[in-house]
Amino acid sequence: MEMIDYTMLGRTGTQVSRVCLGAMTMGTLMDRDESFRTLDSFAEQGGNFIDTANCYSWWVGKGENVGDESEAMLGEWMHARKNRERIFLATKCGARLRDPRAIRDADGNPRWAEVPSNYEGASRRVILGAVQDSLRRLRTDYIDLYYVHVDDRKTPLEETLGTLNELVASGVIRHLGYSNVRTWRLERIRALCERNGWAQPIAIQQEYSFLRPAAGANLGVAVHADGEFFDYLAENPSMTLLAYSPLLKGIYASREKRLAYYNWSLYDTPDSAARLERLEVVGKRLGIDGNTLVLAWMLHRKPAIIPIVGGSRFSHFRENFAALDVRLDGETMDYLEGRSASA
Ligand SMILES: NC(=O)c1ccc[n+]([C@@H]2O[C@H](COP(=O)([O-])OP(=O)(O)OC[C@H]3O[C@@H](n4cnc5c(N)ncnc54)[C@H](OP(=O)(O)O)[C@@H]3O)[C@@H](O)[C@H]2O)c1
């Protein structure tokens, strides 16, 4: 397997690995051994960019997890490997639940509809507390990239961004990121930071994959990177897109996986059918499966998009990083994206 290349994050001058490792399942679906094995392998391949949040993954299980687990696992790993300074560590605040145990039904399952109204949000009080809790769990005194996890429209942006700017000024946070944020809000955020001379977000984390949701699809608080967003990015090269759920939970592996995906109805369109067909043609020709091909396609998009690669076991990560070895020429990219009719 090839070593992982590096790319610049926005215009920061900071180089990060071309793929980011999503640590959402670590400490819950993945135990210590499986997590360490995955992290070690990523680091050995030259990867340094790791993504977590202060709420991963409270929803796993029947109430035994609260959202500390992934950060704590990463903290333990960096402590054991003594490699904190070699890691570019991203975490998030704002989508932790005020009380993750109170939001379950009698069977212990999350009451998903109530989740957004139970987010802690991005007020000054929450951010200042959350950052300290994350530092403690991560066993570090700085965070390379700190995201607002879900845009909080109830807290004035001045409060959120002014507080984050103080944390940047004091060196606790190196860079700012925003996740699940609409383009018009992002422009407001950027303009406000510019007006005040505050640190601006340089990483935007949105859902993004090869299939596109139906026009007007309701993804809840999640924001899928769309044409409007890419147009905005083209004018704002100081921001880089971090693509989360790049495999839409692994749906490119099989039809069964697609039908089982909780959001499949939002993606089940003629556009998706055509895209899946083209994916199959290219996958067969190259002898690779749909998940690998989707990640390879994403790695060939310009300007650079950084996929956040996820999985619930080591083998997923190993298979997904094989995408780094796949070369797609211009004609194949055109075919996959429907700009030409022949593969
Ligand atoms: N900002 C946000 O709001 C947000 C939201 C979600 C995720 N994220 C970040 O993005 C990262 C990735 O997100 P994600 O986990 O949703 O990504 P994803 O790539 O869309 O889904 C990962 C899931 O796909 C399946 N999968 C992955 N590789 C596979 C393989 N090679 N073969 C078969 N199945 C495979 C597994 O499902 P099974 O477990 O069912 O087998 C795995 O858990 C997370 O770790 C997190 O850091 C951010």
Side-chain angles (χ1 to χ4, degrees), residues 20-25 29 50-53 56 59 92 95 147-150 179-180 205-209 221-223 242-253 257 261-262 289 291-292 295 307-313 315-320:
C20 178
L21 182 85
M24 187 167 74
T25 54
L29 290 173
I50 302 181
D51 185 78
T52 184
Y56 291 164
W59 54 90
K92 321 182 187 81
Y147 291 96
V148 173
H149 201 154
V150 174
S179 183
N180 297 306
Q205 191 174 137
Q206 314 277 48
E207 182 188 273
Y208 183 60
S209 187
V221 297
V223 176
L242 276 292
Y244 78 74
S245 301
L247 299 179
L248 298 175
K249 308 295 176 186
I251 61 164
Y252 302 101
K257 197 95 180 173
Y261 175 41
Y262 54 83
D289 82 308
N291 285 335
T292 311
L295 289 171
I308 311 182
V309 174
S312 56
R313 57 190 94 120
S315 61
H316 287 159
F317 289 90
R318 200 186 41 206
E319 283 162 29
N320 295 341

Side-chain angles (χ1 to χ4, degrees), residues 6-310:
Y6 279 63
T7 187
M8 209 207 288
L9 193 61
R11 291 267 165 94
T12 58
T14 301
Q15 297 279 325
V16 291
S17 51
R18 195 62 196 79
V19 286
C20 178
L21 182 85
M24 187 167 74
T25 54
M26 296 190 179
T28 49
L29 290 173
M30 290 172 74
D31 64 14
R32 186 181 186 280
D33 281 356
E34 195 86 346
S35 302
F36 271 41
R37 202 170 159 210
T38 305
L39 291 161
D40 284 341
S41 160
F42 181 61
E44 276 158 28
Q45 233 187 305
N48 74 337
F49 196 172
I50 302 181
D51 185 78
T52 184
N54 71 345
C55 60
Y56 291 164
S57 290
W58 67 264
W59 54 90
V60 174
K62 300 283 183 189
E64 61 273 33
N65 297 308
V66 294
D68 293 353
E69 295 74 18
S70 169
E71 285 189 335
M73 185 60 75
L74 288 178
E76 199 179 330
W77 177 71
M78 290 186 295
H79 183 72
R81 301 295 184 253
K82 298 184 176 41
N83 64 359
R84 170 65 188 98
E85 70 288 355
R86 293 199 295 280
I87 301 301
F88 190 85
L89 185 60
T91 192
K92 321 182 187 81
C93 71
R96 191 176 167 94
L97 297 188
R98 287 195 286 272
D99 184 354
R101 293 209 167 94
I103 203 156
R104 291 178 181 270
D105 62 20
D107 298 325
N109 298 314
R111 291 196 297 263
W112 286 107
E114 292 171 31
V115 166
S117 59
N118 279 279
Y119 286 150
E120 285 185 333
S123 66
R124 179 175 178 79
R125 184 189 55 79
V126 167
I127 293 171
L128 293 179
V131 78
Q132 291 306 325
D133 289 343
S134 286
L135 290 172
R136 178 175 40 77
R137 286 190 288 270
L138 291 161
R139 301 197 195 196
T140 183
D141 54 6
Y142 69 98
I143 292 163
D144 296 286
L145 174 60
Y146 199 53
Y147 291 96
V148 173
H149 201 154
V150 174
D151 186 18
D152 172 4
R153 296 199 192 172
K154 293 206 177 89
T155 303
L157 282 173
E158 286 80 357
E159 178 178 336
T160 301
L161 295 164
T163 305
L164 291 167
N165 184 61
E166 283 171 32
L167 292 172
V168 172
S170 66
V172 173
I173 293 174
R174 296 247 160 112
H175 301 286
L176 279 195
Y178 245 86
S179 183
N180 297 306
V181 57
R182 302 229 171 240
T183 307
W184 69 268
R185 287 277 294 176
L186 188 55
E187 173 51 20
R188 234 179 231 194
I189 289 163
R190 191 206 59 75
L192 186 65
C193 291
E194 185 176 67
R195 243 190 344 266
N196 288 290
W198 291 341
Q200 303 206 13
I202 50 95
I204 312 303
Q205 191 174 137
Q206 314 277 48
E207 182 188 273
Y208 183 60
S209 187
F210 182 64
L211 296 192
R212 306 181 280 208
N218 180 4
L219 289 155
V221 297
V223 176
H224 190 96
D226 59 6
E228 171 92 7
F229 178 75
F230 281 109
D231 186 42
Y232 180 79
L233 267 194
E235 297 292 327
N236 291 277
S238 62
M239 301 181 190
T240 297
L241 171 62
L242 276 292
Y244 78 74
S245 301
L247 299 179
L248 298 175
K249 308 295 176 186
I251 61 164
Y252 302 101
S254 66
R255 190 166 174 274
E256 291 68 48
K257 197 95 180 173
R258 276 195 282 289
L259 296 179
Y261 175 41
Y262 54 83
N263 265 348
W264 179 239
S265 62
L266 306 180
Y267 284 88
D268 190 8
T269 63
D271 177 62
S272 291
R275 289 194 145 227
L276 287 169
E277 213 174 290
R278 294 198 289 271
L279 203 64
E280 199 174 329
V281 170
V282 175
K284 273 203 182 117
R285 176 158 58 78
L286 299 178
I288 56 176
D289 82 308
N291 285 335
T292 311
L293 181 53
V294 165
L295 289 171
W297 160 81
M298 202 176 284
L299 288 165
H300 282 77
R301 292 278 331 255
K302 298 269 183 304
I305 296 168
I306 303 182
I308 311 182
V309 174

